[in-house]
Amino acid sequence: MADGRSTEGGAGFELPLLLFAGFRSIIDELHRDLAAQGDGEFRPAHGFALQAVGTQGASASEVGRRLGVSKQAAGKTVDKLERLGYVERVDDPDDGRRKLVRLTTRGIDVLARSAQGFDRIRAEWVAVLGAERVRALEADLRTITPASAYRLDAEGWFAG
């Protein structure tokens, strides 16, 4: 239609904006909670970076690849996370020439509290929308998004 609306009544551009707004509202609420718990310098990009480090650790290059950013950008993020106490650099037991980035106890803790926060926020959505509507929304999103949609490279993707 000429006014930008589809035959189903909604404007095509509105769907991605609403999905992003929902994502943003969840992330912003979670980070307000983390700040109140003493993690005021922890940013959404840091959460992606900690996921990229993973439970087994990773080199800075691997973190960059997983995030879709340059090795230098990953190194800056790792430097910041190290200063904040969420990761540490240790000698790689398999290759003495490189360093491995590992989660610290604080890094593991912030990820665990984040998971609890996401559960709490989801419960709030259930309280507002109802359990069946939230489950249906999740099921619908799983149906239309590819399995590869669970990626950590959002920062690199946005930066383009």
Side-chain angles (χ1 to χ4, degrees):
M1 301 181 105
D3 67 357
R5 298 202 175 269
S6 73
T7 58
E8 299 300 317
F13 68 86
E14 201 171 18
L15 179 59
L17 293 176
L18 288 168
L19 289 169
F20 182 71
F23 169 80
R24 180 75 192 260
S25 68
I26 291 169
I27 298 301
D28 288 349
E29 184 172 343
L30 176 72
H31 282 268
R32 280 191 298 276
D33 289 351
L34 292 175
Q37 296 168 17
D39 294 285
E41 291 188 68
F42 194 76
R43 301 289 177 255
H46 297 154
F48 285 108
L50 292 184
Q51 293 292 331
V53 169
T55 58
Q56 302 302 309
S59 70
S61 294
E62 289 168 325
V63 171
R65 274 194 304 281
R66 293 172 185 172
L67 294 175
V69 299
S70 70
K71 180 181 175 180
Q72 292 78 12
K76 286 182 181 180
T77 301
V78 169
D79 289 345
K80 175 78 173 193
L81 290 171
E82 189 175 30
R83 279 193 305 278
L84 293 172
Y86 296 106
V87 301
E88 63 184 352
R89 286 184 170 100
V90 297
D91 290 332
D92 186 334
D94 298 326
D95 183 349
R97 298 169 296 170
R98 74 179 196 156
K99 292 287 188 180
L100 197 62
V101 180
R102 273 194 329 208
L103 299 175
T104 61
T105 302
R106 185 174 188 199
I108 293 167
D109 178 63
V110 77
L111 286 177
R113 287 184 289 115
S114 294
Q116 292 168 352
F118 284 132
D119 288 344
R120 182 192 55 74
I121 294 165
R122 184 186 184 280
E124 289 174 1
W125 282 42
V126 166
V128 172
L129 299 173
E132 184 55 39
R133 288 187 68 192
V134 172
R135 279 193 301 269
L137 174 63
E138 291 167 336
D140 289 345
L141 289 170
R142 282 186 203 100
T143 298
I144 62 172
T145 56
S148 64
Y150 296 112
R151 296 172 44 182
L152 299 175
D153 64 353
E155 181 181 359
W157 181 78
F158 275 118

Short mmCIF file of all heavy atoms in Angstrom, two decimals, residues 79-122:
data_model
loop_
_atom_site.label_atom_id
_atom_site.label_comp_id
_atom_site.label_asym_id
_atom_site.label_seq_id
_atom_site.Cartn_x
_atom_site.Cartn_y
_atom_site.Cartn_z
N ASP A 79 40.57 -5.92 27.78
CA ASP A 79 41.29 -5.06 28.72
C ASP A 79 40.34 -4.45 29.74
O ASP A 79 40.62 -4.45 30.95
CB ASP A 79 42.02 -3.93 27.98
CG ASP A 79 43.22 -4.39 27.18
OD1 ASP A 79 43.69 -5.53 27.37
OD2 ASP A 79 43.67 -3.59 26.32
N LYS A 80 39.22 -3.92 29.25
CA LYS A 80 38.22 -3.29 30.14
C LYS A 80 37.65 -4.32 31.11
O LYS A 80 37.54 -4.08 32.32
CB LYS A 80 37.11 -2.66 29.30
CG LYS A 80 35.97 -2.08 30.08
CD LYS A 80 36.30 -0.75 30.68
CE LYS A 80 35.06 -0.14 31.32
NZ LYS A 80 35.22 1.25 31.65
N LEU A 81 37.28 -5.50 30.59
CA LEU A 81 36.73 -6.54 31.45
C LEU A 81 37.74 -7.02 32.48
O LEU A 81 37.38 -7.35 33.61
CB LEU A 81 36.22 -7.72 30.60
CG LEU A 81 34.98 -7.43 29.77
CD1 LEU A 81 34.71 -8.57 28.81
CD2 LEU A 81 33.78 -7.17 30.67
N GLU A 82 39.00 -7.04 32.09
CA GLU A 82 40.05 -7.43 33.04
C GLU A 82 40.19 -6.37 34.14
O GLU A 82 40.28 -6.70 35.33
CB GLU A 82 41.37 -7.62 32.30
CG GLU A 82 42.47 -8.21 33.15
CD GLU A 82 43.73 -8.52 32.35
OE1 GLU A 82 44.02 -7.83 31.35
OE2 GLU A 82 44.43 -9.47 32.75
N ARG A 83 40.18 -5.09 33.75
CA ARG A 83 40.26 -4.01 34.75
C ARG A 83 39.08 -4.07 35.72
O ARG A 83 39.23 -3.76 36.90
CB ARG A 83 40.29 -2.64 34.07
CG ARG A 83 41.65 -2.23 33.56
CD ARG A 83 41.72 -0.75 33.18
NE ARG A 83 40.72 -0.32 32.23
CZ ARG A 83 40.80 -0.47 30.90
NH1 ARG A 83 41.84 -1.07 30.37
NH2 ARG A 83 39.85 -0.02 30.12
N LEU A 84 37.91 -4.45 35.21
CA LEU A 84 36.71 -4.52 36.05
C LEU A 84 36.64 -5.82 36.87
O LEU A 84 35.78 -5.96 37.74
CB LEU A 84 35.45 -4.40 35.18
CG LEU A 84 35.24 -3.05 34.51
CD1 LEU A 84 34.07 -3.12 33.53
CD2 LEU A 84 35.02 -1.95 35.54
N GLY A 85 37.54 -6.77 36.57
CA GLY A 85 37.60 -8.00 37.35
C GLY A 85 36.71 -9.14 36.85
O GLY A 85 36.52 -10.11 37.57
N TYR A 86 36.20 -9.03 35.63
CA TYR A 86 35.32 -10.08 35.10
C TYR A 86 36.08 -11.18 34.37
O TYR A 86 35.56 -12.29 34.23
CB TYR A 86 34.28 -9.49 34.15
CG TYR A 86 33.33 -8.52 34.83
CD1 TYR A 86 33.43 -7.15 34.63
CD2 TYR A 86 32.35 -9.00 35.69
CE1 TYR A 86 32.56 -6.27 35.25
CE2 TYR A 86 31.48 -8.12 36.32
CZ TYR A 86 31.59 -6.76 36.10
OH TYR A 86 30.73 -5.89 36.72
N VAL A 87 37.27 -10.88 33.87
CA VAL A 87 38.10 -11.88 33.20
C VAL A 87 39.54 -11.73 33.66
O VAL A 87 39.92 -10.71 34.25
CB VAL A 87 38.05 -11.76 31.64
CG1 VAL A 87 36.64 -11.92 31.11
CG2 VAL A 87 38.68 -10.46 31.16
N GLU A 88 40.32 -12.74 33.36
CA GLU A 88 41.76 -12.70 33.61
C GLU A 88 42.47 -13.32 32.42
O GLU A 88 41.88 -14.14 31.70
CB GLU A 88 42.11 -13.44 34.89
CG GLU A 88 41.78 -14.93 34.84
CD GLU A 88 42.04 -15.65 36.15
OE1 GLU A 88 42.62 -15.05 37.06
OE2 GLU A 88 41.66 -16.83 36.24
N ARG A 89 43.70 -12.91 32.21
CA ARG A 89 44.53 -13.50 31.17
C ARG A 89 45.51 -14.47 31.84
O ARG A 89 46.15 -14.11 32.82
CB ARG A 89 45.30 -12.43 30.40
CG ARG A 89 44.43 -11.63 29.46
CD ARG A 89 45.30 -10.65 28.67
NE ARG A 89 44.60 -10.01 27.59
CZ ARG A 89 44.10 -8.78 27.64
NH1 ARG A 89 44.22 -8.05 28.75
NH2 ARG A 89 43.50 -8.25 26.59
N VAL A 90 45.57 -15.68 31.30
CA VAL A 90 46.46 -16.70 31.84
C VAL A 90 47.21 -17.34 30.69
O VAL A 90 46.79 -17.25 29.53
CB VAL A 90 45.68 -17.78 32.64
CG1 VAL A 90 44.98 -17.16 33.84
CG2 VAL A 90 44.69 -18.50 31.76
N ASP A 91 48.33 -17.99 31.00
CA ASP A 91 49.06 -18.72 29.96
C ASP A 91 48.19 -19.85 29.43
O ASP A 91 47.53 -20.56 30.21
CB ASP A 91 50.36 -19.29 30.52
CG ASP A 91 51.38 -18.20 30.83
OD1 ASP A 91 51.34 -17.15 30.17
OD2 ASP A 91 52.20 -18.42 31.74
N ASP A 92 48.18 -20.02 28.12
CA ASP A 92 47.44 -21.12 27.49
C ASP A 92 48.21 -22.40 27.73
O ASP A 92 49.37 -22.52 27.33
CB ASP A 92 47.29 -20.85 25.99
CG ASP A 92 46.42 -21.86 25.29
OD1 ASP A 92 46.30 -23.01 25.76
OD2 ASP A 92 45.85 -21.51 24.24
N PRO A 93 47.61 -23.39 28.39
CA PRO A 93 48.34 -24.64 28.68
C PRO A 93 48.71 -25.42 27.42
O PRO A 93 49.64 -26.21 27.44
CB PRO A 93 47.37 -25.44 29.56
CG PRO A 93 46.03 -24.83 29.31
CD PRO A 93 46.25 -23.40 28.92
N ASP A 94 48.01 -25.16 26.31
CA ASP A 94 48.29 -25.87 25.06
C ASP A 94 49.28 -25.14 24.16
O ASP A 94 49.77 -25.71 23.20
CB ASP A 94 46.99 -26.11 24.28
CG ASP A 94 46.02 -26.99 25.06
OD1 ASP A 94 46.49 -27.89 25.79
OD2 ASP A 94 44.80 -26.76 24.93
N ASP A 95 49.54 -23.86 24.44
CA ASP A 95 50.42 -23.06 23.59
C ASP A 95 51.02 -21.95 24.44
O ASP A 95 50.36 -20.92 24.68
CB ASP A 95 49.64 -22.49 22.41
CG ASP A 95 50.51 -21.71 21.43
OD1 ASP A 95 51.69 -21.43 21.75
OD2 ASP A 95 50.02 -21.38 20.34
N GLY A 96 52.23 -22.14 24.90
CA GLY A 96 52.89 -21.19 25.79
C GLY A 96 53.10 -19.81 25.18
O GLY A 96 53.41 -18.86 25.89
N ARG A 97 52.94 -19.68 23.86
CA ARG A 97 53.14 -18.39 23.20
C ARG A 97 51.92 -17.49 23.28
O ARG A 97 51.99 -16.32 22.94
CB ARG A 97 53.51 -18.59 21.74
CG ARG A 97 54.81 -19.34 21.54
CD ARG A 97 54.99 -19.74 20.11
NE ARG A 97 53.90 -20.69 19.80
CZ ARG A 97 53.60 -21.12 18.59
NH1 ARG A 97 54.27 -20.70 17.55
NH2 ARG A 97 52.63 -21.98 18.40
N ARG A 98 50.78 -18.01 23.68
CA ARG A 98 49.59 -17.17 23.69
C ARG A 98 48.94 -17.16 25.06
O ARG A 98 49.18 -18.03 25.89
CB ARG A 98 48.60 -17.61 22.61
CG ARG A 98 47.85 -18.84 22.88
CD ARG A 98 46.88 -19.16 21.73
NE ARG A 98 45.93 -20.14 22.22
CZ ARG A 98 44.74 -20.33 21.73
NH1 ARG A 98 44.34 -19.62 20.70
NH2 ARG A 98 43.93 -21.23 22.23
N LYS A 99 48.12 -16.15 25.26
CA LYS A 99 47.37 -15.99 26.50
C LYS A 99 45.93 -16.44 26.26
O LYS A 99 45.38 -16.30 25.17
CB LYS A 99 47.35 -14.53 26.95
CG LYS A 99 48.69 -14.01 27.39
CD LYS A 99 49.06 -14.59 28.73
CE LYS A 99 50.31 -13.93 29.28
NZ LYS A 99 50.66 -14.48 30.58
N LEU A 100 45.34 -16.96 27.30
CA LEU A 100 43.95 -17.37 27.28
C LEU A 100 43.17 -16.41 28.17
O LEU A 100 43.64 -16.04 29.24
CB LEU A 100 43.85 -18.79 27.83
CG LEU A 100 42.61 -19.59 27.59
CD1 LEU A 100 42.40 -19.81 26.08
CD2 LEU A 100 42.73 -20.95 28.27
N VAL A 101 42.02 -15.97 27.71
CA VAL A 101 41.14 -15.13 28.51
C VAL A 101 40.16 -16.06 29.20
O VAL A 101 39.52 -16.89 28.55
CB VAL A 101 40.38 -14.11 27.62
CG1 VAL A 101 39.47 -13.24 28.47
CG2 VAL A 101 41.36 -13.27 26.81
N ARG A 102 40.06 -15.94 30.52
CA ARG A 102 39.16 -16.79 31.30
C ARG A 102 38.25 -15.94 32.16
O ARG A 102 38.64 -14.85 32.62
CB ARG A 102 39.96 -17.68 32.26
CG ARG A 102 40.42 -18.96 31.70
CD ARG A 102 40.91 -19.92 32.76
NE ARG A 102 41.50 -19.27 33.94
CZ ARG A 102 42.42 -19.83 34.70
NH1 ARG A 102 42.89 -21.02 34.42
NH2 ARG A 102 42.90 -19.19 35.74
N LEU A 103 37.05 -16.44 32.40
CA LEU A 103 36.13 -15.78 33.33
C LEU A 103 36.67 -15.91 34.74
O LEU A 103 37.18 -16.96 35.13
CB LEU A 103 34.75 -16.44 33.27
CG LEU A 103 34.02 -16.41 31.94
CD1 LEU A 103 32.73 -17.21 32.04
CD2 LEU A 103 33.74 -14.99 31.50
N THR A 104 36.55 -14.84 35.51
CA THR A 104 36.88 -14.90 36.94
C THR A 104 35.61 -15.29 37.70
O THR A 104 34.53 -15.40 37.12
CB THR A 104 37.35 -13.52 37.43
OG1 THR A 104 36.28 -12.59 37.25
CG2 THR A 104 38.60 -13.04 36.71
N THR A 105 35.76 -15.44 38.99
CA THR A 105 34.59 -15.71 39.83
C THR A 105 33.56 -14.59 39.66
O THR A 105 32.36 -14.86 39.57
CB THR A 105 35.02 -15.83 41.30
OG1 THR A 105 35.98 -16.89 41.41
CG2 THR A 105 33.84 -16.11 42.20
N ARG A 106 34.03 -13.36 39.55
CA ARG A 106 33.11 -12.23 39.37
C ARG A 106 32.41 -12.32 38.01
O ARG A 106 31.23 -12.01 37.90
CB ARG A 106 33.86 -10.90 39.49
CG ARG A 106 32.93 -9.71 39.42
CD ARG A 106 33.62 -8.40 39.66
NE ARG A 106 32.61 -7.36 39.76
CZ ARG A 106 32.85 -6.08 39.61
NH1 ARG A 106 34.08 -5.66 39.39
NH2 ARG A 106 31.88 -5.21 39.71
N GLY A 107 33.13 -12.73 36.97
CA GLY A 107 32.53 -12.88 35.65
C GLY A 107 31.46 -13.96 35.64
O GLY A 107 30.38 -13.78 35.04
N ILE A 108 31.76 -15.08 36.27
CA ILE A 108 30.78 -16.17 36.37
C ILE A 108 29.56 -15.71 37.15
O ILE A 108 28.42 -15.97 36.77
CB ILE A 108 31.43 -17.42 37.01
CG1 ILE A 108 32.51 -17.98 36.07
CG2 ILE A 108 30.38 -18.46 37.34
CD1 ILE A 108 33.43 -19.01 36.72
N ASP A 109 29.81 -14.96 38.22
CA ASP A 109 28.71 -14.46 39.06
C ASP A 109 27.81 -13.50 38.30
O ASP A 109 26.58 -13.60 38.39
CB ASP A 109 29.30 -13.77 40.30
CG ASP A 109 28.22 -13.18 41.18
OD1 ASP A 109 27.38 -13.95 41.71
OD2 ASP A 109 28.18 -11.94 41.34
N VAL A 110 28.38 -12.57 37.54
CA VAL A 110 27.53 -11.61 36.82
C VAL A 110 26.71 -12.32 35.75
O VAL A 110 25.55 -11.96 35.50
CB VAL A 110 28.34 -10.42 36.25
CG1 VAL A 110 29.10 -10.79 34.98
CG2 VAL A 110 27.44 -9.22 35.98
N LEU A 111 27.26 -13.36 35.12
CA LEU A 111 26.47 -14.12 34.15
C LEU A 111 25.33 -14.87 34.84
O LEU A 111 24.21 -14.92 34.32
CB LEU A 111 27.37 -15.09 33.38
CG LEU A 111 28.29 -14.47 32.33
CD1 LEU A 111 29.16 -15.54 31.69
CD2 LEU A 111 27.49 -13.72 31.28
N ALA A 112 25.59 -15.42 36.02
CA ALA A 112 24.54 -16.14 36.76
C ALA A 112 23.44 -15.17 37.19
O ALA A 112 22.24 -15.47 37.06
CB ALA A 112 25.14 -16.84 37.97
N ARG A 113 23.84 -13.99 37.69
CA ARG A 113 22.84 -13.00 38.09
C ARG A 113 22.07 -12.46 36.89
O ARG A 113 20.88 -12.17 36.98
CB ARG A 113 23.48 -11.86 38.89
CG ARG A 113 23.87 -12.30 40.29
CD ARG A 113 24.43 -11.20 41.16
NE ARG A 113 25.77 -10.81 40.71
CZ ARG A 113 26.10 -9.61 40.22
NH1 ARG A 113 25.18 -8.66 40.12
NH2 ARG A 113 27.33 -9.35 39.85
N SER A 114 22.75 -12.37 35.74
CA SER A 114 22.06 -11.95 34.51
C SER A 114 20.98 -12.97 34.14
O SER A 114 19.86 -12.60 33.78
CB SER A 114 23.06 -11.81 33.36
OG SER A 114 23.96 -10.75 33.60
N ALA A 115 21.32 -14.24 34.22
CA ALA A 115 20.35 -15.30 33.90
C ALA A 115 19.14 -15.20 34.84
O ALA A 115 17.99 -15.32 34.39
CB ALA A 115 21.01 -16.67 33.99
N GLN A 116 19.39 -14.98 36.11
CA GLN A 116 18.29 -14.82 37.07
C GLN A 116 17.46 -13.58 36.73
O GLN A 116 16.23 -13.60 36.82
CB GLN A 116 18.84 -14.70 38.49
CG GLN A 116 19.47 -15.96 39.01
CD GLN A 116 20.26 -15.74 40.29
OE1 GLN A 116 20.47 -14.61 40.75
NE2 GLN A 116 20.72 -16.82 40.89
N GLY A 117 18.14 -12.51 36.33
CA GLY A 117 17.43 -11.28 35.95
C GLY A 117 16.56 -11.49 34.72
O GLY A 117 15.41 -11.03 34.67
N PHE A 118 17.08 -12.21 33.72
CA PHE A 118 16.28 -12.51 32.54
C PHE A 118 15.04 -13.33 32.90
O PHE A 118 13.95 -13.09 32.38
CB PHE A 118 17.11 -13.23 31.48
CG PHE A 118 18.06 -12.35 30.73
CD1 PHE A 118 19.39 -12.75 30.58
CD2 PHE A 118 17.67 -11.15 30.17
CE1 PHE A 118 20.29 -11.95 29.88
CE2 PHE A 118 18.56 -10.34 29.47
CZ PHE A 118 19.87 -10.75 29.32
N ASP A 119 15.21 -14.29 33.81
CA ASP A 119 14.07 -15.09 34.26
C ASP A 119 13.02 -14.20 34.95
O ASP A 119 11.82 -14.36 34.74
CB ASP A 119 14.51 -16.20 35.21
CG ASP A 119 15.25 -17.33 34.52
OD1 ASP A 119 15.18 -17.45 33.27
OD2 ASP A 119 15.93 -18.11 35.23
N ARG A 120 13.49 -13.28 35.79
CA ARG A 120 12.57 -12.38 36.49
C ARG A 120 11.83 -11.49 35.50
O ARG A 120 10.61 -11.31 35.59
CB ARG A 120 13.33 -11.52 37.51
CG ARG A 120 12.41 -10.58 38.30
CD ARG A 120 13.19 -9.56 39.09
NE ARG A 120 14.12 -8.76 38.30
CZ ARG A 120 13.76 -7.78 37.46
NH1 ARG A 120 12.49 -7.48 37.28
NH2 ARG A 120 14.67 -7.10 36.79
N ILE A 121 12.54 -10.94 34.52
CA ILE A 121 11.91 -10.06 33.53
C ILE A 121 10.90 -10.85 32.70
O ILE A 121 9.79 -10.36 32.42
CB ILE A 121 12.98 -9.39 32.65
CG1 ILE A 121 13.82 -8.43 33.51
CG2 ILE A 121 12.34 -8.66 31.47
CD1 ILE A 121 15.12 -7.97 32.85
N ARG A 122 11.25 -12.07 32.31
CA ARG A 122 10.30 -12.91 31.57
C ARG A 122 9.04 -13.12 32.41
O ARG A 122 7.92 -13.07 31.91
CB ARG A 122 10.92 -14.24 31.19
CG ARG A 122 9.99 -15.09 30.33
CD ARG A 122 10.57 -16.49 30.07
NE ARG A 122 9.73 -17.25 29.19
CZ ARG A 122 8.62 -17.88 29.57
NH1 ARG A 122 8.22 -17.83 30.83
NH2 ARG A 122 7.90 -18.55 28.68
#
